[in-house]
Amino acid sequence: MNIEQARFNMIEQQIRPWDVLDTDILDLLMVVKRENFVPEAYKNLAFADISIPLPGGSAMLTPKIEARITQDAHVKKHENVLLVGAGTGYLAALLAHRARHVTAVEIDPGLKDLAQKNLAANGVTNVTVELGNGAQGWSNGAPFDVIIFAGALPVLPETVLQQVKPEGRIVAIIGESPVMSAHLITRTGDSSYDTKKLFETDVKPLQAAVTPSHFTF
């Protein structure tokens, strides 16, 4: 496989048609080598439009979703980012190139170690990978400028809304399979938020995400 041709094809055929038009993001996808973050057994699928399985029942998001999240979060160089779901470290690496610092929380110990190893091997030094359950947010380091969830949530917990700074943003995929939508939520005041729907999708839920009761009274 010609890796650079495959990377180019991924960007032109999958990512650009999905409204990822920011040239900085497209350039970043050339710089951060996705194949270095894909588990060995799936290396040949590093640039495919599929969700790659990970240990513990989780999965890497597809390249186009990773790119849209990175673009639509509008991370700036002075900002601190919380990423819930470190996975293999790839999305953390993309965000790290845009941010001052990324705190990546991972519930699976094996994935936490894998993310740390991959980030170190690829020279990414401004990411801290923490072991824990971030589905309710993460108080250590809060409030954050940007909070991103790398898996679906049935609902967005109230606690998360308080962990983002004024003018800060949350990118979350909310809903239950097969109906989910990615949202950009901007904090506009102490208790006011502006929500913009980004796209519809269907991705793996975060482990330990709180499921709302379906009972009615």
Side-chain angles (χ1 to χ4, degrees):
M1 178 175 72
N2 182 327
I3 284 184
E4 293 311 318
Q5 185 63 49
R7 193 188 326 281
F8 176 83
N9 291 346
M10 174 189 75
I11 291 169
E12 294 302 316
Q13 296 169 13
Q14 297 174 43
I15 291 171
R16 198 187 286 273
W18 236 53
D19 291 333
V20 180
L21 304 174
D22 184 328
T23 53
D24 288 344
I25 300 296
L26 297 174
D27 291 345
L28 185 59
L29 296 170
M30 299 292 289
V31 171
V32 182
K33 308 298 186 187
R34 193 173 198 268
E35 68 275 16
N36 293 351
F37 292 87
V38 172
E40 198 63 44
Y42 296 96
K43 288 283 190 202
N44 62 326
L45 297 174
F47 308 110
D49 186 19
I50 63 166
S51 181
I52 292 175
L54 297 177
S58 60
M60 288 183 78
L61 296 170
T62 61
K64 65 189 181 188
I65 292 179
E66 293 163 334
R68 273 296 297 270
I69 287 173
T70 305
Q71 172 181 269
D72 294 349
H74 301 295
V75 177
K76 303 174 186 71
K77 278 294 184 187
H78 66 277
E79 291 185 321
N80 293 317
V81 178
L82 171 66
L83 173 64
V84 179
T88 66
Y90 177 66
L91 184 53
L94 291 176
L95 296 167
H97 279 266
R98 311 273 293 173
R100 188 179 82 80
H101 187 265
V102 177
T103 300
V105 180
E106 177 52 57
I107 198 169
D108 184 281
L111 280 178
K112 173 191 177 277
D113 292 345
L114 178 61
Q116 283 181 313
K117 178 180 145 200
N118 287 341
L119 289 161
N122 286 275
V124 182
T125 59
N126 60 329
V127 177
T128 303
V129 187
E130 305 270 8
L131 181 65
N133 174 16
Q136 297 286 309
W138 194 252
S139 59
N140 188 12
F144 296 92
D145 297 290
V146 182
I147 299 175
I148 293 171
F149 291 89
L153 296 166
V155 293
L156 186 69
E158 286 288 330
T159 49
V160 174
L161 294 172
Q162 298 304 313
Q163 291 176 350
V164 69
K165 292 179 183 177
E167 304 306 318
R169 285 90 62 213
I170 301 166
V171 179
I173 297 170
I174 302 169
E176 296 179 78
S177 185
V179 183
M180 302 175 182
S181 299
H183 297 271
L184 174 67
I185 302 149
T186 304
R187 186 170 191 173
T188 54
D190 283 348
S191 57
S192 58
Y193 300 84
D194 178 68
T195 300
K196 175 185 175 186
K197 182 176 172 181
L198 299 175
F199 55 86
E200 294 183 351
T201 188
D202 186 4
V203 303
K204 288 264 191 182
L206 280 176
Q207 287 188 54
V210 175
T211 303
S213 170
H214 291 290
F215 290 106
T216 54
F217 298 96

